[in-house]
Amino acid sequence: MGEQILIAIRRHFIVFPIILICFVAAGFSLNTVLQPEYQAKSTLIANFDRSDNLSNKYNELLANQMLTTTYQEAIQSLFIANIVKSKLSSNLTPSELLKKVQVKTDPGALILSIYANANDANQAVAIANAFAESFVSNSTLILNQANVNVLDLAVYENSSTPVKPKKMFNLAVSFFIGFFAAASFSLFLEKKRLKKVKKKDRLPNFRLETQVKREISTQLEGKL
């Protein structure tokens, strides 16, 4: 099969690169048309009260690890989103702000990572930091014993490179799809060409057989 594809590509050496170039150009155009998206990250840490009792420390650590899940849901609540909207004086609704935010936690740690995506790096940074600071400032209103602090705020330098579109990935995918499509079409053309050749080869033989049959038939009629 591989050898057939190579033969088809060589024979249709004009069609193959044209199709491949068209797909790569489509991938390049997609990268140009898609609006860049930036991502900013701020982190929070859930603390526990110090105690001289080692057992209490361990229990408090486990309790705080369980609370991180609660914190995760609370950060993504409409309550916090409304505070963020006021803080940023944003034209976006609380629901639209929440769509730009994702909170992730590490089960083995007390770290909460707040990711904010936006079409502008500065906006992404502002949203991530606003959610972090708003939650820390109002966490006790949600949980009486909440003890969470900002670990790192998002900064522009770490968010200035767009995360979408992934240009090299899109170009690579376009190339491989284009290569497959070009190879498939070349193979199709080659099979079609071979059928025509076989048909042409059969035609003279068919004519010869018909002529021979006619001559034999004429000779038999003459004897009769």
Side-chain angles (χ1 to χ4, degrees):
M1 186 65 179
E3 187 177 351
Q4 292 177 351
I5 293 175
L6 288 175
I7 293 173
I9 292 174
R10 288 174 183 172
R11 189 174 293 277
H12 304 280
F13 62 91
I14 296 178
V15 174
F16 180 83
I18 289 176
I19 295 175
L20 182 58
I21 290 171
C22 287
F23 273 87
V24 173
F28 182 80
S29 300
L30 184 65
N31 286 336
T32 305
V33 171
L34 290 177
Q35 195 169 5
E37 187 172 294
Y38 300 86
Q39 186 177 81
K41 174 187 175 184
S42 58
T43 54
L44 305 178
I45 182 167
N47 299 306
F48 58 91
D49 296 330
R50 294 185 178 277
S51 171
D52 293 332
N53 189 315
L54 183 61
S55 177
N56 287 340
K57 283 185 178 181
Y58 178 73
N59 290 334
E60 287 173 5
L61 178 60
L62 291 179
N64 277 278
Q65 285 178 333
M66 294 176 64
L67 278 174
T68 53
T69 302
T70 305
Y71 292 155
Q72 180 181 7
E73 295 298 324
I75 293 170
Q76 299 174 97
S77 66
L78 283 173
F79 174 71
I80 297 297
N82 274 295
I83 297 172
V84 170
K85 175 178 170 61
S86 299
K87 186 180 181 70
L88 297 176
S89 300
S90 175
N91 294 326
L92 299 174
T93 66
S95 297
E96 289 172 336
L97 284 169
L98 288 174
K99 289 179 181 178
K100 294 181 176 294
V101 173
Q102 184 180 15
V103 182
K104 295 182 180 180
T105 61
D106 185 350
L110 301 176
I111 303 295
L112 296 100
S113 300
I114 302 174
Y115 296 90
N117 287 23
N119 297 128
D120 179 76
N122 287 315
Q123 185 184 26
V125 170
I127 293 174
N129 290 339
F131 268 91
E133 293 170 344
S134 298
F135 177 70
V136 170
S137 301
N138 298 274
S139 58
T140 54
L141 297 177
I142 300 172
L143 292 170
N144 292 331
Q145 297 180 345
N147 188 4
V148 59
N149 295 292
V150 175
L151 182 62
D152 288 311
L153 288 175
V155 292
Y156 177 81
E157 288 75 13
N158 296 335
S159 312
S160 58
T161 302
V163 293
K164 292 180 182 179
K166 297 180 179 179
K167 294 185 177 182
M168 292 305 297
F169 176 79
N170 290 342
L171 287 175
V173 170
S174 300
F175 176 83
F176 283 113
I177 294 176
F179 184 89
F180 178 78
S184 299
F185 191 68
S186 297
L187 190 61
F188 168 76
L189 292 177
E190 181 62 12
K191 287 182 178 179
K192 193 173 181 180
R193 187 191 69 82
L194 291 174
K195 284 183 180 179
K196 288 182 178 180
V197 170
K198 288 180 180 179
K199 189 175 181 181
K200 288 181 180 179
D201 290 340
R202 287 175 184 172
L203 188 59
N205 292 332
F206 175 76
R207 289 177 178 174
L208 181 62
E209 290 176 1
T210 303
Q211 185 178 356
V212 170
K213 286 179 181 180
R214 284 178 181 175
E215 290 178 356
I216 294 173
S217 177
T218 303
Q219 291 177 1
L220 290 174
E221 288 176 358
K223 289 181 179 180
L224 292 174

